[in-house]
Amino acid sequence: MKTFVLLALVAACSAAVFKVPATQSGSLRAKLISEGTYPQFLATQHAARIEQLNSGSQPFLDYFDDFYLGNITLGTPPQPATIVLDTGSSNLWVIDAACNSQACNGYPDSGYKKQKFDTTKSSTFTKETRKFSIQYGSGSCNGYLGTDTITFGGLTIKTQEFGVATHLAEVFGYQPVDGILGLGWPALAVDKVTPPMQNLLPQLDAPLFTVWLDRKLTISQGGSGGLITYGAVDTTNCDSQITYVPLTAKTYWQFALDGFSVGTFSENKKDQVISDTGTSWLGAPNTVVSGIVKQTKATFDWTNELYTVDCSTMQTQPDLVFTIGGTKYNVKSVEYILDLQLGGGKCALAVFSMGNGGFGPSWILGDTFIRQYCNIYDIGNARIGFANAHHSF
C-alpha cells in the first residue's frame, strides 16, 4: 500500500484556496522492527505477492513506512474517516461498517480502531449494483460502489462516487487508515469513476494543488507532517521559484527523468518517473540501486530486507542528483538515510528496486523526494512543478 495522508482537517480558507495541515503517523516499519515482528510481517507479504503474481498482477512494491494522514467526512449526517491522500491512484474507498474481519476492524496491537462507514445511517447514500476491486502493492480491497456527499479540506462534493470495501487484505489491519483517496488522473481510476479532485476543480481559484511534507529527526516520530494547499501554490513553505515540466502521461503524475547521479556513479538514460505521495521511499531501476549501494557503502540486512549504512554517515553521504527538464535536483542524505531504530548504529537506505518488466514508469519519487522539494500538481496545464521546501532544520 502506498502512503501519503493528511490529518486534522481544520481548513484555513481564503477565497477558493484551502490550506490543510498534515499529521505524520510515524513509521509502521520502525514500529514492527522495535516489536520484533517485522520478519513475520514480511513473510505474510511475500505470500500475498506470490498470490498476486499467480493471478497475473504486477503491482508496485510497498514498503510500509511513514504515513501522512488526513480526515474526510462522508454522508448525512457526516461520518469521519482517516484516509491516504495518494497521487499514485485515482479512486476513493472507505470501509463498510458491515465488514467485521480483523483487517476491517484493525488489529489490537496496531493501536488504531478503524472508523467504518455505516451506509444505513446516511440519508444521502445511494448504493450501486456495480462492484469494485483494487489491487495495491501490499494487497487488495473490494466491495461495491455508491455515491454520497464527502467533505475534505473545507471542500464539499455533493455527489461523489466511491467504493465501500467489504473485504480488505490483512496489511490494512496494521495501518492507521480507513481508506484511500486517489489524486491521480481519471484514466487511472478503476471502473471509470471520476476522482474527487476532478469534481473539486470548479470550486478552486486555480486547478492545482501543492504538497509540502515536513522533516522529522527520526522517521518513527509522529505529529505535524506538512501541508496540502488546494487551489494555489504554497508560498509559505515553498520557494517562489518553481520549475515546471510537462507530463508524459495523464494517468499517474508521470514525467521524464533525463539522468541521475550519486558520487562517481551516473546514468544518463531517459526514463519515465512518477511523483507519488503514497510511496514513502524512492523506487529506482536495479542498476541505479546497485550504484547507490556502492557509493554509500551500504550492506543488505537480510532479516529486515533493506540496505543499511552507519547512522553516523546520515549527514555526510553524497547527494542523489536527479536531472529533470534540464534542472538538477539534489536530495540530501538526511532525506534518504532514515533512522528506523534498527539498532547497532545502523540506519536504512530509503531506496528500493523497481521491477516494471518494461511496462510503466521506471522510477517512483516518493516522500523522500517530496520532503526536499514541494510538488505542485498542475491539473489545468498537465504539468508538475518543483520548488525547494522550507524546513526548520
Side-chain angles (χ1 to χ4, degrees), residues 148-385:
D148 209 334
T149 297
I150 71 164
T151 298
F152 66 99
L155 304 162
T156 298
I157 303 171
K158 291 295 185 182
T159 305
Q160 175 63 50
E161 191 174 26
F162 58 94
V164 181
T166 57
H167 177 268
L168 296 178
E170 289 300 300
V171 65
F172 290 106
Y174 293 95
Q175 298 170 332
V177 297
D178 308 315
I180 295 177
L181 192 158
L183 294 169
W185 290 80
L188 190 62
V190 175
D191 299 317
K192 298 182 179 180
V193 171
T194 300
M197 195 65 205
Q198 271 61 36
N199 286 329
L200 285 180
L201 293 180
Q203 301 182 45
L204 301 178
D205 273 357
L208 58 83
F209 59 98
T210 304
V211 173
W212 168 74
L213 302 183
D214 204 356
R215 180 182 294 152
K216 294 293 179 183
L217 287 171
T218 62
I219 205 67
S220 60
Q221 288 181 317
S224 176
L227 191 75
I228 183 167
T229 301
Y230 298 99
V233 174
D234 181 351
T235 56
T236 301
N237 298 296
C238 311
D239 274 0
S240 58
Q241 182 175 346
I242 305 169
T243 303
Y244 289 96
V245 293
L247 298 181
T248 55
K250 289 197 279 188
T251 50
Y252 301 104
W253 285 91
Q254 181 172 319
F255 50 96
L257 178 70
D258 302 325
F260 170 82
S261 66
V262 55
T264 60
F265 172 86
S266 66
E267 184 168 285
N268 295 318
K269 175 187 174 185
K270 180 167 281 192
D271 278 322
Q272 293 298 302
V273 60
I274 65 172
S275 167
D276 185 7
T277 56
T279 296
S280 304
W281 290 12
L282 296 170
N286 293 335
T287 55
V288 172
V289 172
S290 296
I292 296 172
V293 167
K294 184 176 180 180
Q295 293 298 311
T296 58
K297 297 180 172 57
T299 57
F300 196 70
D301 178 340
W302 290 96
T303 300
N304 295 305
E305 299 187 12
L306 46 76
Y307 288 100
T308 66
V309 297
D310 290 341
C311 291
S312 61
T313 68
M314 183 181 288
Q315 305 277 352
T316 59
Q317 293 278 9
D319 292 357
L320 306 181
V321 184
F322 300 86
T323 303
I324 303 169
T327 300
K328 293 186 182 299
Y329 296 89
N330 290 47
V331 174
K332 303 294 184 183
S333 54
V334 69
E335 296 294 356
Y336 72 84
I337 297 175
L338 305 179
D339 182 2
L340 297 181
Q341 300 177 341
L342 295 168
K346 294 296 183 180
C347 282
L349 199 65
V351 297
F352 62 92
S353 295
M354 292 281 289
N356 65 1
F359 300 95
S362 301
W363 291 74
I364 298 177
L365 298 186
D367 298 341
T368 300
F369 180 86
I370 300 169
R371 277 193 298 270
Q372 186 86 50
Y373 298 98
C374 294
N375 280 214
I376 298 91
Y377 301 88
D378 189 341
I379 299 168
N381 293 300
R383 62 182 184 172
I384 187 167

Side-chain angles (χ1 to χ4, degrees), residues 1 3 25-33 35-45 62 64-65 67 69 95 101-114 138 168-178:
M1 215 229 55
T3 51
S25 68
S27 170
L28 173 61
R29 189 203 303 249
K31 179 178 183 292
L32 296 175
I33 287 172
E35 294 170 351
T37 58
Y38 191 55
Q40 298 96 306
F41 179 80
L42 284 174
T44 302
Q45 294 311 303
D62 172 56
F64 318 107
D65 229 293
F67 298 153
L69 306 175
I95 305 170
S101 70
Q102 196 68 72
C104 286
N105 291 332
Y107 284 96
D109 59 357
S110 71
Y112 182 81
K113 183 179 180 180
K114 302 291 190 184
S138 52
L168 296 178
E170 289 300 300
V171 65
F172 290 106
Y174 293 95
Q175 298 170 332
V177 297
D178 308 315

